[in-house]
Amino acid sequence: MDLQIKGKKALMAGGSAGMGRATAERLAEAGVDLYISARREDRLVQSAKEMSEKYGTTVTPIVADSSTDEGRSALFAACPDPDILSITIKPPAPNGNFLNVTPDMWRSSIETTLVGPIEIMRNYIPGMKERQWGRIVNIATFSAKNPMIWRLLSGPARSALLNYTASVSREIAGHGVLINNILPGMFRTEGFDENTQAYADAFGLEPTQEVCLPHFLEHNKIPAGFLAEAEDMAPMAALLCSPLARFIVGQNIVIDGGQHQSIF
Ligand SMILES: NC(=O)c1ccc[n+]([C@@H]2O[C@H](COP(=O)([O-])OP(=O)(O)OC[C@H]3O[C@@H](n4cnc5c(N)ncnc54)[C@H](OP(=O)(O)O)[C@@H]3O)[C@@H](O)[C@H]2O)c1
């Protein structure tokens, strides 16, 4: 399918690994002029080089923490006017006992998963409106819609993000600027593996893949029968970034292998 985005400018905020990288790959493949950001420079620069060589398109790395004012300023300076914006930010790790979640932990969750994406969108929406075209896709989490007691520092703040985008997307859709959210379920990414220690702590397990992965699969029944790869969500993200999605406004698309049962 031709996504009709060749030559457009795209920013993947959080694009050096996991689902951000997989989305960036699909956009690069479609011929966009790509910018990717992340906090860790080495992996970011390497990812940009690999994608640029693979797809023959420009991929500009930007070292920036999307959860801070300083990081966002660096992002805005390096890429002032993207047509396409996708955002993903890593929230704090899995929590243990809910009674041990402190105000500082809530603040960190809100700064990363709520204020970060909102501030990035707020910066870019006026330019997109002026140009009468834009696509924004947040990569959030299915626990925004289906609460999980061990993901309190990810789900609740993302529920607020969904609430924000539900309103704002309707406000700007008439200008050709669309916001939609992807809500991923369980994906085996670099970030997933980095959470092994925190997952083990939350459930009182030995922090090894051999112990944690079977425990995880036992407690997260996935009807599709497997833990997803980042590439399993990227085609949907790329579609939402294209002109083909022009009638899809303010939607929350769950990609979870059927893990959570709900009609809407
Ligand atoms: N994997 C899952 O099973 C799962 C389940 C539900 C929801 N999600 C959500 O899906 C999103 C993507 O997850 P993933 O597993 O693909 O993560 P990942 O493998 O850790 O990739 C995240 C990407 O974003 C970058 N990033 C993270 N925090 C950032 C920040 N503050 N500023 C700038 N860049 C940042 C990372 O690079 P640096 O670390 O170098 O910054 C990396 O490039 C996350 O929001 C996560 O909460 C994941």
Side-chain angles (χ1 to χ4, degrees):
M1 190 194 309
D2 177 7
L3 289 176
Q4 302 169 15
I5 53 175
K6 191 174 167 52
K8 287 198 183 290
K9 194 183 289 186
L11 169 59
M12 179 67 240
S16 66
M19 291 181 251
R21 160 97 189 233
T23 299
E25 294 247 3
R26 296 285 74 78
L27 296 175
E29 182 185 52
V32 303
D33 192 6
L34 185 63
Y35 292 74
I36 60 171
S37 68
R39 295 163 299 178
R40 285 171 277 183
E41 186 166 11
D42 286 359
R43 184 170 71 174
L44 173 70
V45 170
Q46 182 61 26
S47 296
K49 185 168 171 285
E50 285 169 10
M51 284 190 270
S52 169
E53 285 171 4
K54 188 168 174 189
Y55 300 108
T57 186
T58 316
V59 184
T60 306
I62 310 164
V63 179
D65 183 341
S66 300
S67 69
T68 66
D69 287 335
E70 193 190 14
R72 289 189 291 269
S73 296
L75 198 61
F76 304 156
C79 181
D81 54 359
D83 306 298
I84 293 167
L85 167 66
S86 183
I87 309 167
T88 189
I89 301 185
K90 193 171 184 173
N95 56 280
N97 185 336
F98 73 96
L99 292 173
N100 296 333
V101 176
T102 63
D104 278 346
M105 291 160 81
W106 282 115
R107 285 185 198 103
S108 168
S109 168
I110 288 164
E111 282 297 328
T112 50
T113 58
L114 181 63
V115 177
I118 286 177
E119 284 302 287
I120 296 172
M121 288 188 280
R122 200 166 70 88
N123 178 75
Y124 287 125
I125 284 171
M128 289 179 170
K129 274 177 70 178
E130 216 173 284
R131 296 188 294 279
Q132 291 288 296
W133 200 89
R135 294 288 183 270
I136 301 175
V137 176
N138 288 294
I139 304 172
T141 176
F142 74 157
S143 62
K145 211 179 138 180
N146 301 285
M148 302 170 90
I149 189 69
W150 57 284
R151 283 316 262 143
L152 289 176
L153 299 174
S154 175
R158 258 78 173 267
S159 297
L161 179 68
L162 269 46
N163 191 308
Y164 175 90
T165 57
S167 293
V168 173
S169 60
R170 271 91 188 175
E171 188 72 14
I172 62 178
H175 298 275
V177 183
L178 310 182
I179 310 177
N180 290 288
N181 304 312
I182 290 186
L183 311 184
M186 300 309 178
F187 283 65
R188 184 83 192 264
T189 60
E190 290 92 328
F192 180 93
D193 286 340
E194 284 169 359
N195 275 346
T196 301
Q197 177 71 56
Y199 184 83
D201 291 347
F203 289 96
L205 304 170
E206 190 190 318
T208 61
Q209 298 285 343
E210 294 68 36
V211 171
C212 290
L213 207 50
H215 180 277
F216 181 87
L217 291 171
E218 176 61 28
H219 290 83
N220 288 276
K221 300 279 186 217
I222 304 172
F226 60 93
L227 206 48
E229 310 271 334
E231 291 69 26
D232 291 316
M233 56 70 66
M236 177 60 79
L239 177 70
L240 294 174
C241 290
S242 80
L244 306 177
R246 67 180 188 155
F247 209 51
I248 306 177
V249 176
Q251 297 303 300
N252 299 303
I253 298 172
V254 176
I255 304 182
D256 72 348
Q259 182 172 345
H260 282 290
Q261 272 196 40
S262 67
I263 294 172
F264 301 109

